[in-house]
Amino acid sequence: MATRSSSAGFARHSWRWGRRLLTGVLSLALTLLGLLLFTFMLSHLAPIDPTLQIAGDHASEATYAQVRHDLGLDQPLPVQFWRYLVHLAHGDMGISRITSQPVLSDLLRTFPATVELATCAIILGALGGITLAFLAVLKPGSWLDNAARLLSLIGYSVPIFWLSLLGLLLFYATLHWSAGPGRLDDIYLYSMEPRSGFVLIDSWLSGDREMFYNAISHLWLPVVALALLSMAGITRLLRAAMLEECNKEYVTLARSKGASRVRILLRHVFPNVLGTLITVLSLSYASLLEGAVLTETVFAWPGVGRYLTTALFAADTPAILGATLLIGTCFVVLNALADALTYLVDPRTR
């Protein structure tokens, strides 16, 4: 009987996980399909004619019609969208009208730069945000708490492009502490062998320590700018979640037993807000991956954000759709991973 009960329980558990996985995959597919459809319609409302960009302003009507036919723009919009989906199912994202290269190749070239920037920023922002939140909750109402709230308010309020420009003016143009825009100086840029696409890894593997230090000198300023943005959100939300937990009865019971506030925060409060922290970190990381457009533009960082901005100004529909699909996939996948991790670490969500 015990064996039958355990088998039935395992079957129910497997069915529950399978249904949850299937629902997540279907939700992911529908979300990305809706995102593609919305972006496709918006790209065709742009006042820029891609046919004129290729054929030129002085092209004849026959040349204009031929180019428009080659691009498939003479077909109805539903037919164009369906053809794009068919090509996408075969791994073909189209050809960029700006670079004349496959969009997939362009994304494989630019995405590692964005991942490197966002990953370093979220690590720094998480360390700073968690530390500030702990200090703020350790002594609510103290100068530490007020300082954490002020820093989070500044991080939310200051525009990222203004902060980036100010950082360049101060640390690059005035103090010369930063190497400035780009990922490497020109002397190293064309001598480094691209292996992983991450400049820190590739410069380290090259064996040239000067190149590695030059990469760090280029990287740290945009990382700090983005880290301040993510740190503000992490500090504010984690502080609010921990203060809410501190008002519950189990914390009062722990205090009555003589437990120190540090022990209560580390042993009791923090495990209960771990699910919130995972969600905040995933959303912050996804926002950095999709929202580093202005930072990449200011620092001439050759990432997906800058690539997407250039494509938008040129009405490069294949590049716009490809970059949007990539960023949307990252956002949805990170949310799904956060939900799964929260489900594992927090029994209250099961």
Side-chain angles (χ1 to χ4, degrees):
M1 294 294 294
T3 303
R4 291 182 179 179
S5 300
S6 61
S7 300
F10 178 77
R12 287 194 299 268
H13 183 74
S14 301
W15 166 250
R16 188 164 55 247
W17 267 101
R19 185 176 57 183
R20 188 183 183 93
L21 179 61
L22 180 61
T23 303
V25 171
L26 289 177
S27 176
L28 171 63
L30 291 176
T31 302
L32 294 179
L33 181 61
L35 179 64
L36 273 179
L37 179 59
F38 182 73
T39 308
F40 185 83
M41 297 302 296
L42 284 183
S43 64
H44 281 76
L45 294 177
I48 303 175
D49 189 352
T51 306
L52 285 179
Q53 290 182 309
I54 297 175
D57 296 333
H58 303 287
S60 63
E61 292 185 6
T63 303
Y64 180 87
Q66 183 62 42
V67 173
R68 186 173 176 82
H69 175 74
D70 294 339
L71 294 176
L73 298 177
D74 56 343
Q75 301 290 329
L77 287 181
V79 176
Q80 295 182 40
F81 185 65
W82 174 252
R83 291 177 59 183
Y84 177 79
L85 291 180
V86 171
H87 287 287
L88 183 63
H90 292 83
D92 180 13
M93 291 185 171
I95 303 297
S96 172
R97 297 164 190 161
I98 301 175
T99 64
S100 299
Q101 299 292 326
V103 174
L104 182 59
S105 300
D106 289 341
L107 294 178
L108 291 176
R109 174 177 51 84
T110 57
F111 189 56
T114 298
V115 172
E116 185 175 42
L117 187 62
T119 302
C120 294
I122 194 62
I123 292 174
L124 184 61
L127 292 176
I130 294 173
T131 302
L132 283 177
F134 262 100
L135 293 177
V137 178
L138 191 61
K139 293 184 178 180
S142 65
W143 68 270
L144 285 173
D145 187 16
N146 293 329
R149 295 168 64 185
L150 178 62
L151 287 176
S152 63
L153 179 62
I154 292 175
Y156 266 121
S157 305
V158 176
I160 188 64
F161 72 90
W162 182 86
L163 185 63
S164 301
L165 290 173
L166 185 64
L168 279 176
L169 177 63
L170 178 61
F171 296 106
Y172 170 60
T174 304
L175 298 176
H176 305 290
W177 291 359
S178 171
R183 301 180 78 187
L184 282 173
D185 288 346
D186 292 340
I187 190 174
Y188 300 115
L189 185 62
Y190 301 103
S191 61
M192 183 184 67
E193 180 184 356
R195 300 181 184 180
S196 63
F198 302 101
V199 67
L200 289 180
I201 297 177
D202 291 343
S203 60
W204 178 266
L205 293 177
S206 68
D208 189 342
R209 294 297 169 262
E210 292 296 328
M211 183 188 299
F212 179 72
Y213 297 143
N214 184 259
I216 294 178
S217 181
H218 279 273
L219 182 65
W220 77 265
L221 189 54
V223 164
V224 169
L226 288 175
L228 289 176
L229 178 64
S230 63
M231 185 178 67
I234 294 170
T235 301
R236 187 171 183 176
L237 293 176
L238 184 60
R239 173 185 175 274
M242 294 180 69
L243 286 177
E244 183 180 357
E245 288 293 324
C246 288
N247 293 325
K248 295 185 176 179
E249 295 181 355
Y250 73 90
V251 175
T252 304
L253 179 61
R255 288 176 182 172
S256 65
K257 292 182 176 180
S260 65
R261 190 167 183 84
V262 175
R263 181 181 177 85
I264 292 174
L265 290 178
L266 292 177
R267 295 291 300 274
H268 303 285
V269 175
F270 185 72
N272 286 333
V273 299
L274 191 56
T276 302
L277 178 60
I278 291 174
T279 303
V280 171
L281 289 178
S282 66
L283 291 176
S284 298
Y285 188 47
S287 299
L288 291 178
L289 288 176
E290 71 168 351
V293 176
L294 293 175
T295 305
E296 291 183 358
T297 302
V298 171
F299 288 98
W301 196 263
V304 174
R306 190 182 177 197
Y307 178 74
L308 179 58
T309 303
T310 306
L312 286 171
F313 281 112
D316 188 353
T317 303
I320 294 172
L321 291 175
T324 303
L325 178 63
L326 176 62
I327 294 173
T329 302
C330 292
F331 196 92
V332 175
V333 169
L334 285 173
N335 280 337
L337 288 176
D339 290 341
L341 289 175
T342 303
Y343 181 82
L344 290 176
V345 303
D346 193 349
R348 295 173 297 181
T349 61
R350 300 174 188 173

